[in-house]
Amino acid sequence: MTQTTFSATATRVASEASDFARARRSMAGGVSSPVRAGTAVGGAPPVIARARGSRIFDAEDREYIDYLCAYGPVLLGHADERIAAAVDRACRQGAVLGGTHSEEIRLAERLGEAMPSMQRVRFVSTGTEACASAVRVARAFTGRPKIVRFAGNYHGHSDAMIFNAGAASNSRADARAGITQGVAGDVIALPYDDLQTLGAALSREGDRVAAVILEPVVGNMGLVLPSDGYLSGVRSLATRHGALLIFDEVITGFRLGLGGAQELFGVKPDVTCVGKVLGGGLPIAAFGGRADVMAVLAPDGHVFQGGTFSGNPVCVAAAHALLDAIESDPLFYNRLSAKGSRLARGARHALADAGLDFPVVQLGSIVDFMFRHGGAHRTFDEAKQADARSYARYYWAMLERGVFLPPSQMEVMFLTAAHSDEDIDRTVDAMRNALLALAEGADASRP
Ligand code: PMP
């Protein structure tokens, strides 16, 4: 790398630092969500101005190929015209109505068709709400207090979900701050992909467990695919002990296919949570499942759950536009998966060229590798063994080369329909150069 690049980096670091310093004066920690502060990579990522297609632009109009994709929602590409037009139309007909509306009913029907396990759905605005509500429903339905979840899975930031969870929620050791012992005591957090510990915990406490909640494919401790038979094993154990099975498909729903991970792996949960991709970039999420389970919700039952913006017409219109776009192209998911395979293949070559044997994991349009030798990691403990300093150096080296990655190794790379083969090939070249530069110790790294 040349001297010019180093000085350009220094200028950029200074200007980004001042943008971020300004953010810190008015916004708590300078961010609306902690991972965005870049703690895991030793400094704040660029302040963003706009995005289009596969590209994101910083406040100084520098262009990057985006693989963060807003942590998953962007599937068609940024600023997709079809979504924009639908949103525009909906805004002009009333952005929020305060009553059930026809397009909302139609969306519920479409969700039920895509994922038949969702016999009844309720719309919310975020994945956090969907998961927290699903858990409350499970407790009310079973009359039991406890929840089993898996370390390194992330189900939003509600009290019961946030400690020992994956993604950036783990950036601080005291992740239980603000959470009562009572709440923590009702959560059993186990290692993912391990039927033995689950079986043992359910044998011990099964009659007090309302639900087992998990990401069927985990996207919050890097990418972890379930071992053969794991999901069906969890299904049988939950059934045997009278606990509901909740699939958190907030990442996988509509990204792996219209039917999500449950269709791909052929395992039927009692309740499902979806979000992210569903809104085509707008905040809409839903939870839904067996009709008898969902019947505990008010007004039919006694569990209160609601929201001013739940099912609002703007987000609903965006969701319809997204589903229309997907359904109009029978090869949509094949094409998307082909892009994922191309990126994964390229990443494997780039790593090999740099003399590194880190396993690359891919499912459809999700691609990931961690700075960790050996087989693909399966648990949160293994994910935490990955070399954080090297990832930080790699992150900045890739940014320097025009590629926007997640600012934490616990997050994964997402592709969209807007990523071209050329984008992917450029990315792979950047990976190769960045990894080789790292190996030679000549990268532009942050403190
Ligand atoms: N579940 C999963 C699997 C997620 O990845 C996330 C967000 N990263 C959530 C739930 C929470 O969604 P939201 O950020 O919309 O509240």
Side-chain angles (χ1 to χ4, degrees), residues 126-128 131 154-156 215 220 248 250-251 276:
T126 65
T128 297
C131 295
Y154 179 77
H155 307 297
E215 290 182 68
N220 282 293
D248 176 352
V250 168
I251 285 183
K276 292 205 194 251

PDB file of all heavy atoms in Angstrom, residues 126-128 131 154-156 215 220 248 250-251 276, ligand 1:
ATOM      1  N   THR A 126     -41.129  -4.208  15.011  1.00  0.00           N
ATOM      2  CA  THR A 126     -39.732  -4.657  15.066  1.00  0.00           C
ATOM      3  C   THR A 126     -39.639  -6.130  15.466  1.00  0.00           C
ATOM      4  O   THR A 126     -40.564  -6.683  16.081  1.00  0.00           O
ATOM      5  CB  THR A 126     -38.925  -3.857  16.117  1.00  0.00           C
ATOM      6  OG1 THR A 126     -39.469  -4.164  17.417  1.00  0.00           O
ATOM      7  CG2 THR A 126     -38.992  -2.363  15.870  1.00  0.00           C
ATOM      8  N   GLY A 127     -38.491  -6.711  15.164  1.00  0.00           N
ATOM      9  CA  GLY A 127     -38.223  -8.080  15.571  1.00  0.00           C
ATOM     10  C   GLY A 127     -38.230  -8.227  17.091  1.00  0.00           C
ATOM     11  O   GLY A 127     -38.647  -9.261  17.630  1.00  0.00           O
ATOM     12  N   THR A 128     -37.768  -7.201  17.776  1.00  0.00           N
ATOM     13  CA  THR A 128     -37.759  -7.227  19.242  1.00  0.00           C
ATOM     14  C   THR A 128     -39.173  -7.439  19.773  1.00  0.00           C
ATOM     15  O   THR A 128     -39.416  -8.307  20.626  1.00  0.00           O
ATOM     16  CB  THR A 128     -37.193  -5.901  19.800  1.00  0.00           C
ATOM     17  OG1 THR A 128     -35.843  -5.776  19.379  1.00  0.00           O
ATOM     18  CG2 THR A 128     -37.276  -5.844  21.309  1.00  0.00           C
ATOM     19  N   CYS A 131     -40.538 -11.039  19.031  1.00  0.00           N
ATOM     20  CA  CYS A 131     -40.020 -12.109  19.902  1.00  0.00           C
ATOM     21  C   CYS A 131     -40.529 -11.959  21.332  1.00  0.00           C
ATOM     22  O   CYS A 131     -40.906 -12.952  21.964  1.00  0.00           O
ATOM     23  CB  CYS A 131     -38.487 -12.114  19.877  1.00  0.00           C
ATOM     24  SG  CYS A 131     -37.816 -12.518  18.252  1.00  0.00           S
ATOM     25  N   TYR A 154     -29.861 -14.189  18.876  1.00  0.00           N
ATOM     26  CA  TYR A 154     -30.308 -12.855  19.275  1.00  0.00           C
ATOM     27  C   TYR A 154     -31.791 -12.730  18.940  1.00  0.00           C
ATOM     28  O   TYR A 154     -32.199 -13.052  17.826  1.00  0.00           O
ATOM     29  CB  TYR A 154     -29.502 -11.783  18.523  1.00  0.00           C
ATOM     30  CG  TYR A 154     -29.893 -10.361  18.849  1.00  0.00           C
ATOM     31  CD1 TYR A 154     -29.479  -9.751  20.028  1.00  0.00           C
ATOM     32  CD2 TYR A 154     -30.682  -9.612  17.977  1.00  0.00           C
ATOM     33  CE1 TYR A 154     -29.837  -8.444  20.330  1.00  0.00           C
ATOM     34  CE2 TYR A 154     -31.052  -8.306  18.277  1.00  0.00           C
ATOM     35  CZ  TYR A 154     -30.620  -7.727  19.454  1.00  0.00           C
ATOM     36  OH  TYR A 154     -30.986  -6.431  19.746  1.00  0.00           O
ATOM     37  N   HIS A 155     -32.559 -12.294  19.939  1.00  0.00           N
ATOM     38  CA  HIS A 155     -34.003 -12.170  19.717  1.00  0.00           C
ATOM     39  C   HIS A 155     -34.493 -10.772  20.088  1.00  0.00           C
ATOM     40  O   HIS A 155     -35.594 -10.623  20.615  1.00  0.00           O
ATOM     41  CB  HIS A 155     -34.758 -13.225  20.530  1.00  0.00           C
ATOM     42  CG  HIS A 155     -34.270 -14.633  20.321  1.00  0.00           C
ATOM     43  ND1 HIS A 155     -34.344 -15.273  19.095  1.00  0.00           N
ATOM     44  CD2 HIS A 155     -33.664 -15.512  21.159  1.00  0.00           C
ATOM     45  CE1 HIS A 155     -33.825 -16.496  19.201  1.00  0.00           C
ATOM     46  NE2 HIS A 155     -33.396 -16.658  20.448  1.00  0.00           N
ATOM     47  N   GLY A 156     -33.657  -9.771  19.855  1.00  0.00           N
ATOM     48  CA  GLY A 156     -34.068  -8.416  20.183  1.00  0.00           C
ATOM     49  C   GLY A 156     -33.616  -8.035  21.581  1.00  0.00           C
ATOM     50  O   GLY A 156     -32.973  -8.819  22.292  1.00  0.00           O
ATOM     51  N   GLU A 215     -33.009 -19.248  16.736  1.00  0.00           N
ATOM     52  CA  GLU A 215     -32.838 -18.927  15.322  1.00  0.00           C
ATOM     53  C   GLU A 215     -32.550 -20.258  14.645  1.00  0.00           C
ATOM     54  O   GLU A 215     -31.528 -20.883  14.926  1.00  0.00           O
ATOM     55  CB  GLU A 215     -31.637 -18.007  15.110  1.00  0.00           C
ATOM     56  CG  GLU A 215     -31.788 -16.595  15.624  1.00  0.00           C
ATOM     57  CD  GLU A 215     -30.533 -15.769  15.306  1.00  0.00           C
ATOM     58  OE1 GLU A 215     -30.261 -15.479  14.132  1.00  0.00           O
ATOM     59  OE2 GLU A 215     -29.804 -15.437  16.246  1.00  0.00           O
ATOM     60  N   ASN A 220     -26.317 -14.416  14.216  1.00  0.00           N
ATOM     61  CA  ASN A 220     -25.883 -13.413  15.186  1.00  0.00           C
ATOM     62  C   ASN A 220     -24.672 -13.828  16.005  1.00  0.00           C
ATOM     63  O   ASN A 220     -24.341 -13.197  17.006  1.00  0.00           O
ATOM     64  CB  ASN A 220     -27.053 -13.066  16.120  1.00  0.00           C
ATOM     65  CG  ASN A 220     -28.048 -12.127  15.443  1.00  0.00           C
ATOM     66  OD1 ASN A 220     -27.721 -10.976  15.160  1.00  0.00           O
ATOM     67  ND2 ASN A 220     -29.242 -12.618  15.156  1.00  0.00           N
ATOM     68  N   ASP A 248     -37.376 -18.015  15.550  1.00  0.00           N
ATOM     69  CA  ASP A 248     -37.101 -16.615  15.259  1.00  0.00           C
ATOM     70  C   ASP A 248     -36.527 -16.555  13.847  1.00  0.00           C
ATOM     71  O   ASP A 248     -35.344 -16.811  13.633  1.00  0.00           O
ATOM     72  CB  ASP A 248     -36.123 -16.053  16.295  1.00  0.00           C
ATOM     73  CG  ASP A 248     -35.729 -14.613  15.992  1.00  0.00           C
ATOM     74  OD1 ASP A 248     -36.083 -14.113  14.908  1.00  0.00           O
ATOM     75  OD2 ASP A 248     -35.045 -14.002  16.840  1.00  0.00           O
ATOM     76  N   VAL A 250     -36.461 -13.856  12.011  1.00  0.00           N
ATOM     77  CA  VAL A 250     -36.333 -12.429  11.693  1.00  0.00           C
ATOM     78  C   VAL A 250     -35.247 -12.221  10.617  1.00  0.00           C
ATOM     79  O   VAL A 250     -35.392 -11.359   9.748  1.00  0.00           O
ATOM     80  CB  VAL A 250     -36.062 -11.608  12.978  1.00  0.00           C
ATOM     81  CG1 VAL A 250     -35.647 -10.180  12.661  1.00  0.00           C
ATOM     82  CG2 VAL A 250     -37.320 -11.601  13.852  1.00  0.00           C
ATOM     83  N   ILE A 251     -34.197 -13.013  10.648  1.00  0.00           N
ATOM     84  CA  ILE A 251     -33.187 -12.935   9.576  1.00  0.00           C
ATOM     85  C   ILE A 251     -33.562 -13.858   8.417  1.00  0.00           C
ATOM     86  O   ILE A 251     -33.507 -13.473   7.249  1.00  0.00           O
ATOM     87  CB  ILE A 251     -31.785 -13.293  10.105  1.00  0.00           C
ATOM     88  CG1 ILE A 251     -31.236 -12.126  10.944  1.00  0.00           C
ATOM     89  CG2 ILE A 251     -30.820 -13.608   8.947  1.00  0.00           C
ATOM     90  CD1 ILE A 251     -29.825 -12.321  11.465  1.00  0.00           C
ATOM     91  N   LYS A 276     -37.356  -7.776   9.632  1.00  0.00           N
ATOM     92  CA  LYS A 276     -36.294  -7.380   8.688  1.00  0.00           C
ATOM     93  C   LYS A 276     -36.717  -7.360   7.221  1.00  0.00           C
ATOM     94  O   LYS A 276     -37.314  -6.407   6.762  1.00  0.00           O
ATOM     95  CB  LYS A 276     -35.064  -8.265   8.891  1.00  0.00           C
ATOM     96  CG  LYS A 276     -34.396  -7.991  10.258  1.00  0.00           C
ATOM     97  CD  LYS A 276     -32.944  -8.353  10.273  1.00  0.00           C
ATOM     98  CE  LYS A 276     -32.375  -8.410  11.681  1.00  0.00           C
ATOM     99  NZ  LYS A 276     -31.464  -7.357  12.029  1.00  0.00           N
TER     100      LYS A 276
HETATM  101  N1  PMP B   1     -34.211 -11.684  15.929  1.00  0.00           N
HETATM  102  C1  PMP B   1     -33.150 -11.788  15.144  1.00  0.00           C
HETATM  103  C2  PMP B   1     -32.728 -13.146  14.669  1.00  0.00           C
HETATM  104  C3  PMP B   1     -32.410 -10.658  14.774  1.00  0.00           C
HETATM  105  O1  PMP B   1     -31.315 -10.789  14.016  1.00  0.00           O
HETATM  106  C4  PMP B   1     -32.852  -9.394  15.230  1.00  0.00           C
HETATM  107  C5  PMP B   1     -32.114  -8.115  14.834  1.00  0.00           C
HETATM  108  N2  PMP B   1     -30.793  -8.225  14.559  1.00  0.00           N
HETATM  109  C6  PMP B   1     -33.982  -9.327  16.039  1.00  0.00           C
HETATM  110  C7  PMP B   1     -34.647 -10.485  16.365  1.00  0.00           C
HETATM  111  C8  PMP B   1     -34.497  -8.009  16.542  1.00  0.00           C
HETATM  112  O2  PMP B   1     -35.049  -7.279  15.508  1.00  0.00           O
HETATM  113  P1  PMP B   1     -35.183  -5.688  15.594  1.00  0.00           P
HETATM  114  O3  PMP B   1     -33.801  -5.133  15.537  1.00  0.00           O
HETATM  115  O4  PMP B   1     -36.025  -5.325  14.410  1.00  0.00           O
HETATM  116  O5  PMP B   1     -35.857  -5.358  16.886  1.00  0.00           O
END
